[in-house]
Amino acid sequence: DAGVIQSPRHEVTEMGQEVTLRCKPISGHNSLFWYRQTMMRGLELLIYFNNNVPIDDSGMPEDRFSAKMPNASFSTLKIQPSEPRDSAVYFCASSLSHRVLTGNTIYFGEGSWLTVV
Amino acid sequence: DQQVKQNSPSLSVQEGRISILNCDYTNSMFDYFLWYKKYPAEGPTFLISISSIKDKNEDGRFTVFLNKSAKHLSLHIVPSQPGDSAVYFCAASSNEKLTFGTGTRLTIIP
């Protein structure tokens, strides 16, 4: 089975440019999560969707960040305009349910490495 | 405010010895705890978990201990193997959200 697929794997962009990160969750999974990894804060939850509906976006740092899930097999995280402090690894993850129950785990993609110069 | 803390950014252990990774949390509403392992250039993968109603869960070489009164959990790996070298993230769950720590980089010395 294919896991969570993210693109691009690496992105280098100039400050002020728009960045779009893409994610294809595991087929059949109902929940999708966007995380950001930094040295200082570890893995931070930015937003998560259940059945394509955003449930909690309280982790989105600023209005420059937005996320969409137009269908069950695709999601985007957009940063516009990008800033150097946005440089991080962005992970997409999916799960059968957004409820963390015994035996239910979240499966992560390989991440998108973003560098804003 | 970091609700899940891993105060040791790195740890080095001799092969064959026990590795102990620690994690502290502040939110008493957390009801489920997980450990994830991450290799370079890969996403985190689930390792082991424990419910708040238990104090120990064992899976092969990996054991997680939970001390609710101290709001502390630990991951024991014994014996440690070179393939265990990775970054380990502690995570805690409440209200259907996972909160992660900052990670501990474990290096197993051959």
Side-chain angles (χ1 to χ4, degrees), chain B residues 12 28 37 51 80 98:
Chain B
S12 294
S28 57
K37 177 179 181 179
S51 165
S80 300
L98 272 185

Side-chain angles (χ1 to χ4, degrees), chain A residues 33-51:
Chain A
F33 307 79
W34 282 101
Y35 283 87
R36 176 172 68 176
Q37 182 191 3
T38 60
M39 289 292 291
M40 293 299 295
R41 301 181 67 84
L43 278 166
E44 298 175 273
L45 177 64
L46 301 177
I47 185 172
Y48 76 93
F49 296 83
N50 189 48
N51 293 323

Side-chain angles (χ1 to χ4, degrees), chain A residues 37, chain B residues 6 9 21 36-40 44 84-89 102-106:
Chain A
Q37 182 191 3
Chain B
Q6 294 176 256
L21 295 94
Y36 279 77
K37 177 179 181 179
K38 183 184 178 304
Y39 290 120
D84 297 329
S85 294
V87 176
Y88 290 79
F89 288 97
T102 51
T104 296
R105 180 178 302 278
L106 175 65

Side-chain angles (χ1 to χ4, degrees), chain A residues 22-113:
Chain A
R22 297 173 179 80
C23 176
K24 176 178 168 54
I26 293 173
S27 177
H29 281 190
N30 297 320
S31 298
L32 183 140
F33 307 79
W34 282 101
Y35 283 87
R36 176 172 68 176
Q37 182 191 3
T38 60
M39 289 292 291
M40 293 299 295
R41 301 181 67 84
L43 278 166
E44 298 175 273
L45 177 64
L46 301 177
I47 185 172
Y48 76 93
F49 296 83
N50 189 48
N51 293 323
N52 312 338
V53 176
I55 301 300
D56 186 342
D57 65 354
S58 60
M60 296 286 260
E62 299 173 33
D63 291 344
R64 298 183 295 107
F65 286 70
S66 63
K68 293 182 180 179
M69 191 165 185
N71 57 63
S73 59
F74 184 66
S75 177
T76 59
L77 177 68
K78 186 175 293 186
I79 309 172
Q80 166 63 21
S82 57
E83 296 182 4
R85 60 190 166 129
D86 301 331
S87 299
V89 184
Y90 291 81
F91 288 101
C92 176
S94 71
S95 175
L96 283 170
S97 167
H98 60 298
R99 295 182 182 275
V100 180
L101 304 173
T102 302
N104 186 24
T105 58
I106 295 178
Y107 297 84
F108 285 81
E110 294 185 326
S112 292
W113 293 67

